[in-house]
Amino acid sequence: MFDSVVRSRHVVTAEGVGPASVGVRDGRIEVVGAYRADMAAHEVTDLGDVALMPGAVDLGAGVHLPGQELSRSYLLAGEAALRGGVTCVVVSPSPARPAITCADSLREHRRAAAGAAVPMFFLGGVSRGTTPLDLADLQAAGAVGFHCSLSDGGAPDTAALGDTLLRKVMAELTALDSVLLVHAEDAAELGSAQGPADQRLPRAERRGLERVIAAARMAGTRTHVCPFTAAECAALLEAAGAVGVSLSAQTCPHYLCLPAESLAPGSPAHACRPPVRSDANRKALWSALLAQGSSITSVGSGHLPARGLYTLEWSLSALWTASHRRGRGLRDLSRWTAGAPAELLGLGTKGRIAPGFDADLVAFDPRARVTVPRTDPSPYAGMELTGRVRRAWVLGHSKGGA
Protein backbone atom coordinates (compact mmCIF):
# COMPACT_ATOMS: atom_id res chain seq x y z
CA MET A 1 0.00 0.00 0.00
CA PHE A 2 1.55 3.28 -1.16
CA ASP A 3 0.84 6.63 0.45
CA SER A 4 0.05 7.97 -3.00
CA VAL A 5 0.30 7.10 -6.67
CA VAL A 6 0.52 9.72 -9.42
CA ARG A 7 -0.07 8.67 -13.03
CA SER A 8 0.52 10.56 -16.26
CA ARG A 9 0.84 9.75 -19.93
CA HIS A 10 3.89 12.03 -19.94
CA VAL A 11 6.16 11.23 -16.99
CA VAL A 12 9.57 12.88 -17.40
CA THR A 13 12.49 10.69 -16.35
CA ALA A 14 16.18 10.66 -17.21
CA GLU A 15 15.44 7.98 -19.80
CA GLY A 16 12.74 9.93 -21.61
CA VAL A 17 9.06 10.90 -21.51
CA GLY A 18 6.29 8.33 -21.48
CA PRO A 19 3.28 6.88 -19.66
CA ALA A 20 3.99 5.72 -16.11
CA SER A 21 2.76 5.52 -12.53
CA VAL A 22 4.86 6.82 -9.65
CA GLY A 23 4.40 5.14 -6.28
CA VAL A 24 5.30 7.20 -3.21
CA ARG A 25 5.88 6.07 0.34
CA ASP A 26 7.29 8.09 3.29
CA GLY A 27 8.16 11.04 1.04
CA ARG A 28 10.25 9.02 -1.39
CA ILE A 29 9.58 7.57 -4.82
CA GLU A 30 9.52 3.80 -4.36
CA VAL A 31 8.36 2.58 -7.76
CA VAL A 32 8.08 3.94 -11.29
CA GLY A 33 5.80 1.45 -13.01
CA ALA A 34 3.50 1.04 -15.98
CA TYR A 35 0.76 3.61 -16.48
CA ARG A 36 -2.03 1.10 -15.79
CA ALA A 37 -0.16 -0.89 -13.13
CA ASP A 38 -2.26 -2.11 -10.21
CA MET A 39 -0.76 -0.03 -7.38
CA ALA A 40 -2.89 0.25 -4.26
CA ALA A 41 -2.60 3.61 -2.52
CA HIS A 42 -4.39 5.87 -0.07
CA GLU A 43 -4.57 8.50 -2.81
CA VAL A 44 -4.39 8.02 -6.58
CA THR A 45 -4.07 10.96 -8.98
CA ASP A 46 -4.34 10.51 -12.74
CA LEU A 47 -3.06 13.58 -14.56
CA GLY A 48 -3.91 12.25 -18.03
CA ASP A 49 -2.10 14.37 -20.62
CA VAL A 50 -0.73 16.82 -18.04
CA ALA A 51 2.97 16.01 -17.65
CA LEU A 52 4.58 14.87 -14.40
CA MET A 53 8.06 16.37 -13.93
CA PRO A 54 10.63 16.49 -11.14
CA GLY A 55 10.28 19.75 -9.25
CA ALA A 56 12.81 22.40 -10.22
CA VAL A 57 15.91 22.96 -8.07
CA ASP A 58 16.41 26.72 -8.33
CA LEU A 59 20.09 27.55 -7.96
CA GLY A 60 21.27 30.87 -6.52
CA ALA A 61 17.96 32.60 -5.86
CA GLY A 62 17.92 35.66 -3.64
CA VAL A 63 15.26 35.53 -0.96
CA HIS A 64 15.50 38.42 1.52
CA LEU A 65 13.01 41.19 0.81
CA PRO A 66 14.21 44.64 1.88
CA GLY A 67 12.25 45.84 4.86
CA GLN A 68 10.76 42.41 5.59
CA GLU A 69 11.58 40.01 8.40
CA LEU A 70 13.74 37.12 7.25
CA SER A 71 11.11 34.51 8.11
CA ARG A 72 8.48 36.44 6.13
CA SER A 73 10.83 36.60 3.14
CA TYR A 74 11.26 32.83 3.18
CA LEU A 75 7.52 32.30 3.52
CA LEU A 76 6.81 34.43 0.43
CA ALA A 77 9.64 32.88 -1.57
CA GLY A 78 8.38 29.38 -0.82
CA GLU A 79 4.88 30.25 -1.98
CA ALA A 80 6.17 31.81 -5.21
CA ALA A 81 8.42 28.80 -5.79
CA LEU A 82 5.51 26.37 -5.60
CA ARG A 83 3.46 28.44 -8.04
CA GLY A 84 6.40 28.25 -10.43
CA GLY A 85 7.08 24.53 -10.14
CA VAL A 86 10.14 24.95 -7.92
CA THR A 87 10.26 22.40 -5.08
CA CYS A 88 13.74 23.21 -3.80
CA VAL A 89 15.50 26.60 -3.56
CA VAL A 90 19.26 26.98 -3.21
CA VAL A 91 19.62 30.38 -1.60
CA SER A 92 22.22 32.97 -2.60
CA PRO A 93 24.24 34.26 0.38
CA SER A 94 23.77 37.90 -0.59
CA PRO A 95 22.36 40.44 -0.69
CA ALA A 96 20.68 39.49 2.58
CA ARG A 97 20.52 40.51 6.21
CA PRO A 98 22.56 38.92 7.57
CA ALA A 99 24.71 37.83 4.65
CA ILE A 100 25.52 34.12 4.81
CA THR A 101 29.26 34.51 5.34
CA CYS A 102 29.70 32.57 8.60
CA ALA A 103 28.16 29.59 10.34
CA ASP A 104 26.15 31.75 12.75
CA SER A 105 24.41 33.64 9.94
CA LEU A 106 23.72 30.39 8.10
CA ARG A 107 22.03 28.99 11.20
CA GLU A 108 19.92 32.15 11.44
CA HIS A 109 18.75 31.70 7.87
CA ARG A 110 17.97 28.04 8.46
CA ARG A 111 15.78 28.91 11.42
CA ALA A 112 13.99 31.60 9.42
CA ALA A 113 13.40 29.19 6.53
CA ALA A 114 11.93 26.44 8.71
CA GLY A 115 8.36 27.43 7.85
CA ALA A 116 8.86 27.73 4.09
CA ALA A 117 6.67 25.66 1.78
CA VAL A 118 9.68 24.12 0.01
CA PRO A 119 13.08 22.91 1.24
CA MET A 120 15.73 25.62 1.33
CA PHE A 121 19.44 24.87 0.87
CA PHE A 122 22.14 27.48 1.28
CA LEU A 123 25.30 28.73 -0.42
CA GLY A 124 28.07 30.17 1.73
CA GLY A 125 29.29 33.63 0.78
CA VAL A 126 32.96 34.35 0.14
CA SER A 127 34.20 37.85 0.97
CA ARG A 128 37.60 39.47 1.34
CA GLY A 129 37.69 38.55 5.03
CA THR A 130 36.80 34.88 4.53
CA THR A 131 39.27 32.45 6.12
CA PRO A 132 39.77 28.71 5.60
CA LEU A 133 38.09 28.15 8.97
CA ASP A 134 35.04 30.14 7.83
CA LEU A 135 34.71 27.92 4.76
CA ALA A 136 35.00 24.73 6.79
CA ASP A 137 32.53 25.99 9.40
CA LEU A 138 30.01 26.98 6.72
CA GLN A 139 30.22 23.56 5.13
CA ALA A 140 29.86 21.85 8.53
CA ALA A 141 26.79 24.02 9.22
CA GLY A 142 25.14 22.83 6.01
CA ALA A 143 26.31 24.99 3.09
CA VAL A 144 25.94 22.91 -0.08
CA GLY A 145 28.30 25.14 -2.06
CA PHE A 146 29.84 28.60 -2.11
CA HIS A 147 29.40 31.84 -4.01
CA CYS A 148 31.70 34.76 -4.77
CA SER A 149 31.81 37.73 -7.12
CA LEU A 150 34.55 39.38 -9.17
CA SER A 151 32.61 42.68 -9.15
CA ASP A 152 29.34 43.76 -7.55
CA GLY A 153 27.44 40.51 -7.97
CA GLY A 154 27.13 40.13 -4.20
CA ALA A 155 26.80 43.80 -3.33
CA PRO A 156 26.64 45.17 -0.76
CA ASP A 157 27.53 42.13 1.34
CA THR A 158 30.36 40.33 -0.45
CA ALA A 159 32.98 42.54 -2.07
CA ALA A 160 34.80 41.67 -5.28
CA LEU A 161 37.64 39.16 -4.96
CA GLY A 162 41.10 39.71 -6.38
CA ASP A 163 43.05 36.95 -8.08
CA THR A 164 45.20 36.03 -5.07
CA LEU A 165 42.23 35.48 -2.76
CA LEU A 166 40.26 33.76 -5.51
CA ARG A 167 43.03 31.19 -5.93
CA LYS A 168 43.31 30.67 -2.16
CA VAL A 169 39.58 30.15 -1.78
CA MET A 170 39.51 27.74 -4.71
CA ALA A 171 42.34 25.71 -3.19
CA GLU A 172 40.46 25.43 0.10
CA LEU A 173 37.23 24.43 -1.64
CA THR A 174 39.08 21.77 -3.62
CA ALA A 175 40.24 20.30 -0.32
CA LEU A 176 36.64 20.45 0.97
CA ASP A 177 35.38 18.84 -2.26
CA SER A 178 32.88 21.67 -2.71
CA VAL A 179 31.77 23.76 -5.68
CA LEU A 180 32.20 27.51 -6.21
CA LEU A 181 29.62 29.64 -8.01
CA VAL A 182 31.10 32.83 -9.47
CA HIS A 183 29.55 36.06 -10.68
CA ALA A 184 32.23 36.55 -13.31
CA GLU A 185 31.94 40.18 -14.44
CA ASP A 186 35.35 41.77 -13.88
CA ALA A 187 35.33 44.89 -11.69
CA ALA A 188 38.20 46.60 -13.53
CA GLU A 189 36.46 46.20 -16.89
CA LEU A 190 33.19 47.52 -15.49
CA GLY A 191 34.85 50.58 -13.99
CA SER A 192 32.26 53.26 -13.40
CA ALA A 193 29.67 51.15 -15.24
CA GLN A 194 29.00 49.21 -12.05
CA GLY A 195 25.96 51.46 -11.80
CA PRO A 196 23.69 51.51 -14.92
CA ALA A 197 23.21 47.95 -16.13
CA ASP A 198 23.00 48.86 -19.81
CA GLN A 199 26.62 50.08 -19.75
CA ARG A 200 27.99 46.70 -18.62
CA LEU A 201 29.64 45.37 -21.78
CA PRO A 202 30.28 41.68 -22.57
CA ARG A 203 34.03 42.18 -22.30
CA ALA A 204 33.63 42.35 -18.52
CA GLU A 205 32.31 38.78 -18.57
CA ARG A 206 35.10 37.70 -20.89
CA ARG A 207 37.83 39.12 -18.67
CA GLY A 208 36.21 37.66 -15.56
CA LEU A 209 35.86 34.26 -17.22
CA GLU A 210 39.56 34.34 -18.14
CA ARG A 211 40.42 34.99 -14.49
CA VAL A 212 38.16 32.17 -13.30
CA ILE A 213 39.67 29.69 -15.76
CA ALA A 214 43.24 30.64 -14.77
CA ALA A 215 42.51 30.23 -11.06
CA ALA A 216 40.51 27.01 -11.43
CA ARG A 217 43.21 25.51 -13.61
CA MET A 218 45.72 25.97 -10.80
CA ALA A 219 43.42 24.84 -7.97
CA GLY A 220 41.37 22.13 -9.67
CA THR A 221 38.12 23.50 -8.22
CA ARG A 222 34.70 22.62 -9.58
CA THR A 223 33.38 26.00 -10.70
CA HIS A 224 30.03 27.21 -12.01
CA VAL A 225 29.64 30.65 -13.64
CA CYS A 226 26.33 32.09 -12.52
CA PRO A 227 24.81 33.81 -14.42
CA PHE A 228 26.35 33.43 -17.87
CA THR A 229 24.95 35.89 -20.42
CA ALA A 230 27.55 36.97 -23.00
CA ALA A 231 27.22 34.52 -25.88
CA GLU A 232 30.51 35.71 -27.39
CA CYS A 233 32.24 34.02 -24.43
CA ALA A 234 30.73 30.59 -25.11
CA ALA A 235 33.81 29.37 -26.98
CA LEU A 236 36.01 30.37 -24.04
CA LEU A 237 33.70 28.50 -21.67
CA GLU A 238 33.83 25.38 -23.81
CA ALA A 239 37.61 25.58 -24.20
CA ALA A 240 38.11 25.36 -20.44
CA GLY A 241 37.47 21.63 -20.47
CA ALA A 242 40.27 21.12 -22.99
CA VAL A 243 42.79 22.45 -20.46
CA GLY A 244 41.44 20.33 -17.62
CA VAL A 245 39.21 22.90 -15.93
CA SER A 246 35.95 21.63 -14.42
CA LEU A 247 33.86 24.62 -15.47
CA SER A 248 30.15 24.88 -16.19
CA ALA A 249 27.62 27.70 -16.26
CA GLN A 250 24.05 28.73 -15.61
CA THR A 251 21.90 31.24 -17.42
CA CYS A 252 18.38 32.55 -16.71
CA PRO A 253 15.14 32.58 -18.71
CA HIS A 254 15.08 36.38 -18.93
CA TYR A 255 18.42 36.31 -20.79
CA LEU A 256 16.97 33.72 -23.17
CA CYS A 257 13.54 35.31 -23.63
CA LEU A 258 13.83 39.09 -23.33
CA PRO A 259 15.95 41.02 -25.87
CA ALA A 260 17.12 44.40 -24.63
CA GLU A 261 15.50 46.13 -27.62
CA SER A 262 12.02 45.06 -26.46
CA LEU A 263 12.24 46.03 -22.79
CA ALA A 264 9.76 48.65 -21.67
CA PRO A 265 11.35 51.64 -19.91
CA GLY A 266 10.02 50.54 -16.52
CA SER A 267 10.73 46.81 -16.87
CA PRO A 268 12.32 45.17 -13.80
CA ALA A 269 14.67 43.42 -16.25
CA HIS A 270 16.69 46.66 -16.47
CA ALA A 271 18.02 45.79 -12.99
CA CYS A 272 19.66 42.55 -14.15
CA ARG A 273 23.41 42.23 -13.56
CA PRO A 274 24.79 41.27 -16.06
CA PRO A 275 22.24 43.12 -18.17
CA VAL A 276 19.70 41.68 -20.54
CA ARG A 277 21.55 41.90 -23.85
CA SER A 278 20.69 42.35 -27.52
CA ASP A 279 18.43 40.11 -29.57
CA ALA A 280 21.48 38.88 -31.49
CA ASN A 281 23.13 37.88 -28.22
CA ARG A 282 19.92 36.17 -27.09
CA LYS A 283 19.81 34.02 -30.21
CA ALA A 284 23.49 33.17 -29.91
CA LEU A 285 23.00 32.28 -26.23
CA TRP A 286 20.32 29.81 -27.25
CA SER A 287 22.72 28.29 -29.76
CA ALA A 288 25.33 27.90 -27.03
CA LEU A 289 22.82 26.31 -24.64
CA LEU A 290 21.53 23.87 -27.26
CA ALA A 291 24.96 22.84 -28.55
CA GLN A 292 25.83 19.19 -28.00
CA GLY A 293 27.78 18.78 -24.77
CA SER A 294 27.21 22.44 -23.82
CA SER A 295 28.91 23.68 -20.66
CA ILE A 296 25.80 25.77 -19.95
CA THR A 297 24.17 23.02 -17.93
CA SER A 298 21.54 24.74 -15.80
CA VAL A 299 18.91 27.46 -16.07
CA GLY A 300 17.79 29.21 -12.88
CA SER A 301 15.21 31.88 -12.20
CA GLY A 302 17.62 34.64 -11.16
CA HIS A 303 15.04 35.64 -8.54
CA LEU A 304 16.44 38.61 -6.62
CA PRO A 305 13.81 40.74 -4.88
CA ALA A 306 16.48 42.99 -3.37
CA ARG A 307 16.89 44.36 -6.91
CA GLY A 308 13.23 44.14 -7.88
CA LEU A 309 13.53 40.85 -9.78
CA TYR A 310 10.57 38.61 -8.95
CA THR A 311 10.99 35.69 -11.33
CA LEU A 312 10.35 32.44 -9.41
CA GLU A 313 6.71 32.13 -10.40
CA TRP A 314 7.09 32.48 -14.17
CA SER A 315 10.55 31.21 -15.07
CA LEU A 316 9.54 27.62 -15.86
CA SER A 317 6.73 28.74 -18.17
CA ALA A 318 8.92 31.37 -19.86
CA LEU A 319 11.70 28.85 -20.48
CA TRP A 320 9.26 26.27 -21.83
CA THR A 321 7.62 28.84 -24.12
CA ALA A 322 10.95 29.66 -25.75
CA SER A 323 12.50 26.18 -25.76
CA HIS A 324 9.40 24.47 -27.17
CA ARG A 325 9.48 26.86 -30.13
CA ARG A 326 12.98 25.58 -30.79
CA GLY A 327 11.87 21.96 -30.88
CA ARG A 328 13.03 21.08 -27.37
CA GLY A 329 11.00 18.87 -25.08
CA LEU A 330 10.14 18.35 -21.46
CA ARG A 331 13.22 16.20 -20.90
CA ASP A 332 15.45 19.19 -21.73
CA LEU A 333 13.37 21.44 -19.48
CA SER A 334 13.74 18.98 -16.62
CA ARG A 335 17.48 18.55 -17.13
CA TRP A 336 18.18 22.31 -17.14
CA THR A 337 16.01 23.15 -14.16
CA ALA A 338 16.18 20.06 -11.93
CA GLY A 339 18.66 17.34 -12.83
CA ALA A 340 21.73 19.44 -13.59
CA PRO A 341 21.61 21.79 -10.56
CA ALA A 342 20.92 18.89 -8.18
CA GLU A 343 23.86 16.95 -9.60
CA LEU A 344 26.17 19.97 -9.45
CA LEU A 345 25.57 20.43 -5.72
CA GLY A 346 25.46 16.76 -4.84
CA LEU A 347 21.79 16.83 -3.79
CA GLY A 348 21.58 13.11 -4.35
CA THR A 349 17.85 12.66 -3.74
CA LYS A 350 16.64 15.71 -5.70
CA GLY A 351 16.03 16.48 -9.35
CA ARG A 352 14.83 13.16 -10.79
CA ILE A 353 11.81 10.90 -10.96
CA ALA A 354 13.37 7.58 -10.04
CA PRO A 355 13.18 5.07 -7.18
CA GLY A 356 14.96 6.34 -4.08
CA PHE A 357 14.55 10.02 -4.96
CA ASP A 358 12.47 12.50 -3.00
CA ALA A 359 8.87 12.75 -4.19
CA ASP A 360 9.24 16.39 -5.26
CA LEU A 361 6.91 16.42 -8.24
CA VAL A 362 5.19 18.94 -10.48
CA ALA A 363 2.13 18.55 -12.68
CA PHE A 364 2.94 20.73 -15.68
CA ASP A 365 0.48 21.37 -18.49
CA PRO A 366 2.66 22.04 -21.54
CA ARG A 367 -0.27 23.17 -23.71
CA ALA A 368 -1.91 25.60 -21.33
CA ARG A 369 -1.79 29.28 -22.23
CA VAL A 370 -1.45 31.84 -19.50
CA THR A 371 -1.24 35.62 -19.67
CA VAL A 372 0.92 37.17 -16.98
CA PRO A 373 -1.02 40.04 -15.36
CA ARG A 374 0.19 43.46 -16.43
CA THR A 375 0.47 44.38 -12.75
CA ASP A 376 2.78 41.45 -12.01
CA PRO A 377 6.18 42.56 -10.62
CA SER A 378 8.11 40.14 -12.87
CA PRO A 379 9.86 41.01 -16.16
CA TYR A 380 7.21 38.88 -17.90
CA ALA A 381 4.27 41.16 -17.02
CA GLY A 382 1.72 41.27 -19.85
CA MET A 383 3.29 38.40 -21.80
CA GLU A 384 1.39 35.35 -23.01
CA LEU A 385 3.27 32.20 -22.01
CA THR A 386 2.78 28.52 -22.78
CA GLY A 387 2.89 25.95 -20.00
CA ARG A 388 1.42 26.13 -16.52
CA VAL A 389 2.04 24.44 -13.19
CA ARG A 390 -1.17 22.69 -12.15
CA ARG A 391 -0.06 21.05 -8.91
CA ALA A 392 3.03 20.28 -6.87
CA TRP A 393 4.11 17.69 -4.32
CA VAL A 394 6.93 18.23 -1.83
CA LEU A 395 8.25 15.06 -0.23
CA GLY A 396 5.05 13.38 -1.33
CA HIS A 397 2.74 15.95 0.22
CA SER A 398 0.33 17.61 -2.19
CA LYS A 399 0.55 21.40 -2.21
CA GLY A 400 -2.54 21.97 -4.36
CA GLY A 401 -2.41 23.95 -7.57
CA ALA A 402 -4.24 25.86 -10.26
Side-chain angles (χ1 to χ4, degrees):
M1 177 69 71
F2 294 101
D3 296 331
S4 62
V5 169
V6 184
R7 310 182 194 276
S8 169
R9 295 187 182 91
H10 306 282
V11 175
V12 183
T13 68
E15 291 72 36
V17 181
S21 296
V22 178
V24 176
R25 194 192 328 262
D26 296 330
R28 292 285 181 93
I29 298 170
E30 192 163 297
V31 173
V32 179
Y35 178 65
R36 299 193 181 279
D38 184 11
M39 299 167 66
H42 296 293
E43 180 183 1
V44 177
T45 302
D46 192 334
L47 299 175
D49 286 328
V50 172
L52 184 67
M53 298 174 54
V57 178
D58 199 63
L59 178 57
V63 170
H64 198 182
L65 282 158
Q68 291 277 2
E69 291 185 358
L70 199 54
S71 58
R72 175 69 175 167
S73 294
Y74 277 106
L75 183 66
L76 294 174
E79 293 171 350
L82 278 180
R83 292 194 297 270
V86 174
T87 56
C88 176
V89 176
V90 182
V91 179
S92 174
S94 60
R97 292 292 178 271
I100 308 175
T101 54
C102 66
D104 286 342
S105 59
L106 173 53
R107 284 188 281 267
E108 184 173 343
H109 278 262
R110 293 186 71 170
R111 288 192 296 269
V118 303
M120 299 281 175
F121 293 86
F122 301 91
L123 299 170
V126 179
S127 65
R128 291 174 186 170
T130 299
T131 67
L133 182 59
D134 291 328
L135 298 174
D137 284 349
L138 278 163
Q139 187 178 65
V144 296
F146 293 84
H147 180 275
C148 74
S149 176
L150 304 187
S151 57
D152 58 356
D157 301 314
T158 51
L161 298 190
D163 289 339
T164 300
L165 183 54
L166 178 63
R167 288 193 296 268
K168 288 181 178 179
V169 166
M170 282 188 168
E172 292 295 334
L173 295 184
T174 300
L176 293 173
D177 192 26
S178 191
V179 62
L180 180 65
L181 278 67
V182 183
H183 180 107
E185 285 183 294
D186 179 77
E189 286 291 343
L190 289 177
S192 61
Q194 292 189 64
D198 58 2
Q199 297 178 19
R200 303 164 76 97
L201 299 178
R203 66 170 180 262
E205 277 194 68
R206 171 173 289 277
R207 175 56 186 145
L209 191 55
E210 291 169 348
R211 291 174 57 195
V212 168
I213 292 172
R217 186 177 185 182
M218 293 181 63
T221 311
R222 291 186 295 122
T223 310
H224 199 62
V225 175
C226 180
F228 179 85
T229 73
E232 67 180 54
C233 300
L236 185 59
L237 182 68
E238 299 300 332
V243 294
V245 177
S246 180
L247 182 66
S248 55
Q250 170 170 292
T251 192
C252 303
H254 38 271
Y255 296 119
L256 294 164
C257 300
L258 303 174
E261 296 90 336
S262 70
L263 294 183
S267 172
H270 286 293
C272 292
R273 299 179 183 178
V276 170
R277 302 198 187 277
S278 68
D279 190 47
N281 182 87
R282 182 184 64 85
K283 292 175 181 176
L285 187 60
W286 268 111
S287 296
L289 174 65
L290 300 182
Q292 186 173 2
S294 174
S295 293
I296 307 173
T297 57
S298 63
V299 181
S301 72
H303 184 76
L304 194 59
R307 293 198 187 132
L309 291 171
Y310 295 84
T311 53
L312 269 172
E313 183 171 352
W314 301 109
S315 283
L316 193 67
S317 296
L319 181 59
W320 172 246
T321 301
S323 62
H324 183 58
R325 290 172 182 165
R326 289 164 172 78
R328 295 294 164 150
L330 294 171
R331 188 179 177 189
D332 295 305
L333 186 69
S334 175
R335 173 168 50 86
W336 292 327
T337 62
E343 183 178 353
L344 176 76
L345 296 176
L347 304 180
T349 61
K350 302 290 185 185
R352 288 180 60 183
I353 295 179
F357 281 69
D358 290 343
D360 295 342
L361 308 169
V362 168
F364 184 75
D365 188 344
R367 296 181 180 86
R369 296 290 184 91
V370 57
T371 300
V372 182
R374 292 191 179 277
T375 56
D376 192 87
S378 77
Y380 308 107
M383 293 180 61
E384 184 178 273
L385 303 177
T386 303
R388 186 173 186 181
V389 174
R390 295 295 188 186
R391 191 172 176 182
W393 294 260
V394 176
L395 295 175
H397 297 287
S398 175
K399 298 296 182 177

